[in-house]
Amino acid sequence: MAALAGATLRMRRTQLVAGEFTIAVLVERGQCRGGVGQFRGGNDAVLVGVESAAKHRGYQVAFYHSNESLAQEEKDVERMRAAHVAGAIIFPVSDVEYDEAIWQLHTEGFPFVLVDRYFHALDCDYVVVDNF
């Protein structure tokens, strides 16, 4: 997943401070456990991997948490954009077929990758696991 995200974001690096670049990670839910969030039944290793790969490539990571709220996700997307992040890795809110904030990012050509969910009508990069 980190390689896909890196390839997508490589095209648009926004310099923030002294050569540092930021990737936003929007997560939909989580429980704090030992300082590391546990998302989707234990995918905290994914988040640690994202941060590790990002650091290795000269990026820093900013985490946003929507708490399964579309309204909060919309606010987080606006905060992320105001911070001029280079791109985003997004765990979309559950049980929705349409997410205006994500569609808007796509329309504007903002680089992002969806994780664990995707929208059938949206042609974008995504990473999902086949648990069957």
Side-chain angles (χ1 to χ4, degrees):
M1 176 177 72
L4 176 61
T8 301
L9 301 178
R10 195 172 299 125
M11 302 298 276
R12 183 177 166 186
R13 291 185 110 183
T14 304
Q15 187 166 2
L16 295 177
V17 179
E20 290 189 336
F21 304 92
T22 302
I23 297 171
V25 177
L26 283 75
V27 295
E28 83 296 6
R29 61 180 165 189
Q31 305 168 269
C32 212
R33 184 182 69 179
V36 177
Q38 178 182 358
F39 301 94
R40 299 219 196 236
N43 284 342
D44 52 338
V46 171
L47 299 178
V48 171
V50 164
E51 184 180 33
S52 176
K55 281 181 182 177
H56 180 72
R57 289 168 178 82
Y59 288 92
Q60 58 186 349
V61 177
F63 289 97
Y64 300 86
H65 177 246
S66 70
N67 199 33
E68 285 288 354
S69 164
L70 280 174
Q72 183 60 51
E73 181 184 85
E74 184 176 312
K75 290 176 187 175
D76 289 342
V77 166
E78 288 306 313
R79 288 178 41 221
M80 161 191 94
R81 295 167 62 111
H84 303 288
V85 300
I89 298 168
I90 304 172
F91 291 74
V93 172
S94 300
D95 301 326
V96 296
E97 294 294 321
Y98 179 79
D99 185 323
E100 178 63 33
I102 292 174
W103 255 264
Q104 188 63 36
L105 291 175
H106 182 265
T107 299
E108 294 172 2
F110 187 88
F112 67 91
V113 176
L114 299 179
V115 180
D116 202 30
R117 295 190 179 98
Y118 65 96
F119 302 103
H120 294 284
L122 184 63
D123 182 24
C124 69
D125 293 324
Y126 62 89
V127 178
V128 295
V129 176
D130 183 0
N131 288 328
F132 300 101

